[in-house]
Amino acid sequence: SSSSSSSSSRLASPPSSSVPPPPEKKEDLTVTKIGYQTDNGAAYCFCEGNCSETLLTVVKSLQAHGLNISYLSFQGSGASSGGRSAHDAAPWCVGTWGVDGGLGANYPMNMHDFSNALGIPLQLYAPYFCPDSQYFNGTKWEAVTSDVSL
């Protein structure tokens, strides 16, 4: 038994310079708190009417029922210009993201006023950009198109 303890004490640990320090942890509200999603399939993804007021009412109602809604995940599709019919992209795409002026008539409040009225942070989400989106102008990125007939 003494030989096993002496052999384990002879094991060298790796030099400290070869082990990188662990990455700094960042607080991420979206994985530690409850939020309300407006993404595809959610009740207000493709909202009609005054969607700013509708979402304000929904969040306040949930909070009044005791749900601690800490952020609103605001998807690009229902709150941005673009869409499947105008572009060769599926299932839908963002031409001008809402935060850049693409909110349209269904969202009469600008993003700053909407965020202030909510009183909680927004998670801004846009997974697909239209092939002719302004976000490809002057960049090295190329748009990928879809066969929308599938």
Side-chain angles (χ1 to χ4, degrees):
S1 73
S2 65
S3 66
S4 66
S5 66
S6 65
S7 67
S8 64
S9 65
R10 287 183 279 174
L11 295 175
S13 55
S16 61
S17 62
S18 69
V19 178
E24 182 181 335
K25 291 187 177 186
K26 304 281 185 191
E27 180 69 24
D28 187 346
L29 181 71
T30 65
V31 296
T32 60
K33 303 290 183 186
I34 296 174
Y36 186 80
Q37 302 288 322
T38 62
D39 67 346
N40 194 16
Y44 303 104
C45 180
F46 299 105
C47 178
E48 294 180 9
N50 185 338
C51 302
S52 299
E53 192 60 41
T54 298
L55 289 171
L56 289 170
T57 300
V58 166
V59 169
K60 288 183 188 340
S61 174
L62 292 170
Q63 290 170 331
H65 284 89
L67 290 169
N68 187 15
I69 303 299
S70 298
Y71 68 95
L72 174 71
S73 179
F74 201 58
Q75 180 171 326
S77 73
S80 300
S81 67
R84 184 175 176 160
S85 61
H87 306 278
D88 187 23
W92 54 264
C93 62
V94 173
T96 302
W97 200 24
V99 297
D100 292 328
L103 289 175
N106 289 344
Y107 292 87
M109 296 178 80
N110 66 47
M111 191 61 68
H112 181 265
D113 291 344
F114 179 63
S115 177
N116 284 341
L118 274 173
I120 57 175
L122 292 170
Q123 175 197 43
L124 303 173
Y125 169 70
Y128 302 107
F129 291 94
C130 301
D132 60 353
S133 171
Q134 68 181 6
Y135 305 109
F136 292 113
N137 295 339
T139 70
K140 63 181 180 179
W141 303 102
E142 292 182 33
V144 176
T145 59
S146 304
D147 182 350
V148 297
S149 67
L150 295 178

